Amino acid sequence: MAFTGRTPLIAALGTLIVGLVLPSWTGLLAVELPLLLAIVVDLLLAAPVNRLLFTRSGDTSVRLGERMLASLVISNPTRRPLRAYLRDSWPPSSWPSDAAPHPGRHELHIPPGERRRVTTTLQPTRRGDHKAQRVTVRSFGPLGLAARQGHHHVPWTVRVLPAFPSRKHLPAKLVRLRELDGRTSILTRGEGTEFDSVRDYVPGDDTRSIDWRATARQS
């Protein structure tokens, strides 16, 4: 169980009113007992956390320093709407350098019987296997006075590979390898029959590539 900031504020305000208007135990009980009852009702109406279902998806590997997305699907099989905050915890070295003060935190509003997807951005700064830690959910009641809180273990592992900064040169290198392997046709000067691709014969050239008409025109 957890309280929101609204609960102590209301309690302090009620105590102040009692001290000014009716400074006695009777006045204090008259103000604080309804608040206590409201807290109990709020907890009873909050969606239970232990019945939520979770499914992970996303990448299982990433290069060092690159960003990736980790998805988490939350299903609410209960008959009560879920109003909650969720924290998807990962090791400290999994977060981007410009991450928010509370990374992996999401606000949820899931009607009964429905599900929602949340996405967490990761940018690991260390190599190796990064394993997802626990998922913490704090479910609030309709009054916003108290909340149910629970933890779930939803396993997922991301392998962080060494950085590959020269990847941007890879497409050009692959094209060149295909050309050398003969899988890509290459148009070079002297291999066609157009005028601008004709050149003089050089000993050793394939005689089948000679354009006899162009040769005759040029004597």
Side-chain angles (χ1 to χ4, degrees):
M1 184 181 71
F3 295 104
T4 66
R6 185 181 305 179
T7 304
L9 181 62
I10 295 176
L13 183 60
T15 304
L16 180 61
I17 295 175
V18 169
L20 296 176
V21 179
L22 188 61
S24 64
W25 285 104
T26 303
L28 184 62
L29 292 177
V31 173
E32 301 302 336
L33 279 180
L35 177 60
L36 180 60
L37 180 61
I39 292 174
V40 173
V41 172
D42 208 29
L43 283 174
L44 293 176
L45 295 179
V49 175
N50 57 352
R51 295 182 58 187
L52 300 177
L53 304 177
F54 299 87
T55 305
R56 284 196 183 275
S57 63
D59 298 330
T60 56
S61 64
V62 65
R63 293 286 177 179
L64 184 66
E66 296 183 358
R67 297 201 177 198
M68 61 158 292
L69 300 178
S71 298
L72 183 66
V73 177
I74 306 96
S75 301
N76 179 19
T78 68
R79 297 182 179 179
R80 302 171 190 171
L82 175 66
R83 308 175 188 87
Y85 282 115
L86 178 144
R87 174 117 185 246
D88 189 8
S89 299
W90 289 78
S93 60
S94 301
W95 304 113
S97 57
D98 57 350
H102 301 285
R105 185 174 180 179
H106 306 275
E107 185 175 355
L108 296 176
H109 296 278
I110 307 179
E114 296 189 11
R115 59 183 180 179
R116 294 290 186 272
R117 180 189 300 271
V118 297
T119 303
T120 302
T121 302
L122 304 177
Q123 188 178 14
T125 57
R126 290 185 180 179
R127 294 169 50 184
D129 291 340
H130 290 238
K131 297 183 179 181
Q133 298 176 346
R134 63 185 183 182
V135 175
T136 303
V137 180
R138 181 174 291 182
S139 174
F140 298 93
L143 301 178
L145 298 176
R148 302 185 184 190
Q149 182 167 313
H151 307 287
H152 297 263
H153 181 63
V154 188
W156 191 263
T157 302
V158 175
R159 175 157 294 181
V160 183
L161 306 175
F164 191 12
S166 59
R167 176 182 292 181
K168 59 182 179 180
H169 303 296
L170 185 60
K173 297 295 183 181
L174 290 177
V175 171
R176 181 58 180 165
L177 287 174
R178 294 191 185 99
E179 292 175 353
L180 295 175
D181 195 32
R183 298 181 182 179
T184 303
S185 59
I186 309 173
L187 183 61
T188 59
R189 187 172 180 81
E191 294 295 329
T193 58
E194 297 297 331
F195 177 76
D196 59 352
S197 64
V198 176
R199 61 171 172 81
D200 292 338
Y201 174 79
V202 177
D205 287 345
D206 189 352
T207 57
R208 292 175 297 178
S209 63
I210 298 177
D211 187 346
W212 296 105
R213 293 184 179 180
T215 303
R217 288 195 298 269
Q218 297 184 23
S219 302

